[in-house]
Amino acid sequence: MLFAQIEDFYCANSGSMIVFFRLLCINCKLKKLVVTLNYVHMRTFIISLVVFLFVTGSVNGQLSYTPSRVADTPFVQEYCETYPVGDQITGANDVRYVAVDNRLDIWIATAADVFVKKNGETEWKGVLPASDKGPAFVVLADDKTGVWMGVWNGVYRFYDGKLQKITGTDGPISVFCAAKEGIYAFGAKGIWLYDGNSFKKKNYSIARSIRDAVSDGNGGIWVASDVGLYHCSPQGVKCLQNQEVLLSAYIKGVAFDTNNRIWAGGLGGVSVLNWYERMKTLQPENGIPSVFVSCVRRSPDGSMWVGTDVGVVRYHPDGSHSLRFSRRWLLDDKVAALTFDKEGNAWVATAGGVSAIKKRTMTLAEKQDFFYDITMKRHVREPWIVGYCRLRIPGDISSWEPEDDDNDGEYTGNYLVMESCRYAVTKSDDAKIKARKAFDFLKLLKDVTGTEHFFARSIVPVAWGDNVHDRNRTYTERELADATVKEPRYKPVEVRWRKSKDGKWLWKGDTSSDEWCGHMIGYFFYYELVADKQEKKRIASHVASLVDGLIANKFNMVDIDGTHTRWAVWGPDQLNRDPEWAPDRNQNSMEMLAFLKLAAYMTGNNKYQQQYLRLINEEHYLENMAKLLDQNPAWFIYYDTMLHAYVFPILLHCEKDPKLLGFYENLMDSWMEKRKGDKNPLINFFYCYARDKKVELDASIDFLKDTPLDLVNWVVDHTKREDVHLVHAPVLDELQISELPSASERAAVRWDRNPWAAINGHPDIEREPVFWLLPYWMGRYLGMIE
């Protein structure tokens, strides 16, 4: 196909192509190749050169190839399973070491005992005899299915179903090392080698503070200690302490990488050695999240895993690195030890129990199935509201229950867009039915209020009573005075929840501008991709009734109390003439133009177009909107970018005037340039839809693949990390980090949250996976994901 396209282009443009490629080759210093080429040779040369450019991606570093679509090929999806030991035994969750035997049974050394968890089970069972229970330090699974245990009073071995005390050492034993010559046991009182029959003491004169050891494969061992790194061999002992070799002498972990280089981790980071010579160091500027490194291990795929006080950082063979920290991945960020099973899964010992970071192969379509199933099970509540759910026990999804939210309308609007795209791709009756249900709910938000133009934020069954957010309340004069000084335009709302006339629902008022944006983008995609002729009339009538209310009330949304809501203000009297509304001028002007344009587009009624043009010509809304990208930093919040993403597609799709359309296109292009760094797939795909382009696909796919399967909104605290800097940009009033975390390194996503936030998360909720499903199905609809 590629060759055919090249050949067609050549035939149509052969003359100009010869000139172009002669110039190109001159630029590339290939003059001799083309000066005398005839058409036949030139045709072959052009095809070869284009293929070369396609493969290499550049000429003098100036050209690059960016794919416009990707095939949905399998990828590795990581996920976490946690295995706390329990609180019944003091110290049981303080796991010091972990090992996996050939049966995939998990063995751990803890402050209280050695425990084992049989493969496929979740319960831990104590191993040591009652008389010998106490602090354990290390476990080792050997090649003969035996498990060695270093404890407070010596060595135990579990072999052939029996537990045996192995004599010949003086406890405590804190480190084991497997080598071809046997099993080394290390403790504060010496070093012993088990040669298959018994332990023999070694006469290596080294420090007693031994923390880790690894065989050099040739009769020697590398030993990490608090006072340096030792190499012990039959030829003698060499101690490395000098800062020219080690970042510090405090070494806690040692391992070989695939290039037979030694990774010595400890205070300060990791020193990578070619035996006695330092090759490089890994410190916070290289991705180490904490200068307190506790262990180093090589994974079966060749990655080097470094355990720290702030999780595990992995250095991959391709040169990249990734971090696993927070409760999403680990029971505790303080890592004591780690190992790998024969399937490549990582088992991490922490101060709070054992975490397994496992892998499974998935396609994006399979991931969609997984997230869609969760959406239907836990995130759709009566009558068809899609949102997060509350966890009565934080982190425990079995304790989930439905929850109301201020933005139920907006995020059900997101769900409506998703189902509309799913229907456009699959023509599934299921998608069409569910899209209709979502629209019916959004329409019900107006009908339930008993008004002509106002819609509620959310509804709950009357039986919920006071089990809602923002309960009705009263304000004292002192409270009002305090609130008014903080925000002069503050609107106290005492009655937020009202009962519907049919007595079935409680509905929440004081609806905001972001709710409007979420509704409108939902209506737009439902109208364009799903609705038949009769349904289009129904949508248009509903949108018109809402916009009529804005026109009748000077472009503001008036609540049931007769005054505009706190945030739903788009009128020129406020935006253009009230200084307190200056922060909202640019964005709200854009939103109002989109609402009017959508009503005009759907209904064909010229009155909406007239109001649209009046705001442009008389109230300068287009000039306001033109300053969207020059917003004062004191007024910027990240959530605004999503509201922009909602309304741009409406304006660009519905506007037919070339001049106005050109203005919107240029503004959105400039906006997108500023948003590329977000690597936000929803922004990217909304842009691709609105501009009929296919860009930023790699970033979008990376997000879709990297998003964890765990949707619990675990707290992620980047302030613990030393590999990032705390900043106040791009949002001045919010603490952030200097680098955008990947999807797997931040709190569960909702697009109203700042992805750079330094601290985020509430583990008493599970996020609805529409945040992932919507960009996935948009990518499918756009043909960018095959």
Side-chain angles (χ1 to χ4, degrees), residues 404-470:
D404 71 278
D405 180 63
D406 258 9
N407 299 109
D408 278 339
E410 175 189 349
Y411 283 95
T412 302
N414 277 211
Y415 168 82
L416 177 55
V417 177
M418 182 272 288
E419 289 290 17
S420 298
C421 291
R422 185 166 79 96
Y423 174 74
V425 172
T426 66
K427 300 304 177 185
S428 160
D429 288 339
D430 180 72
K432 186 173 187 178
I433 291 168
K434 290 173 178 173
R436 173 71 176 264
K437 288 181 177 181
F439 174 76
D440 287 346
F441 159 67
L442 295 177
K443 185 175 182 299
L444 178 62
L445 287 178
K446 179 178 79 72
D447 297 341
V448 77
T449 67
T451 68
E452 191 175 357
H453 308 298
F454 182 77
F455 65 86
R457 280 183 176 271
S458 185
I459 59 174
V460 300
V462 167
W464 281 30
D466 287 337
N467 189 27
V468 292
H469 289 101
D470 300 326

Side-chain angles (χ1 to χ4, degrees), residues 611-625:
Q611 294 293 339
Y612 170 79
L613 294 176
R614 184 174 78 79
L615 290 180
I616 290 175
N617 297 325
E618 298 179 19
E619 297 293 353
H620 312 293
Y621 271 37
L622 213 60
E623 295 171 34
N624 293 346
M625 183 179 169

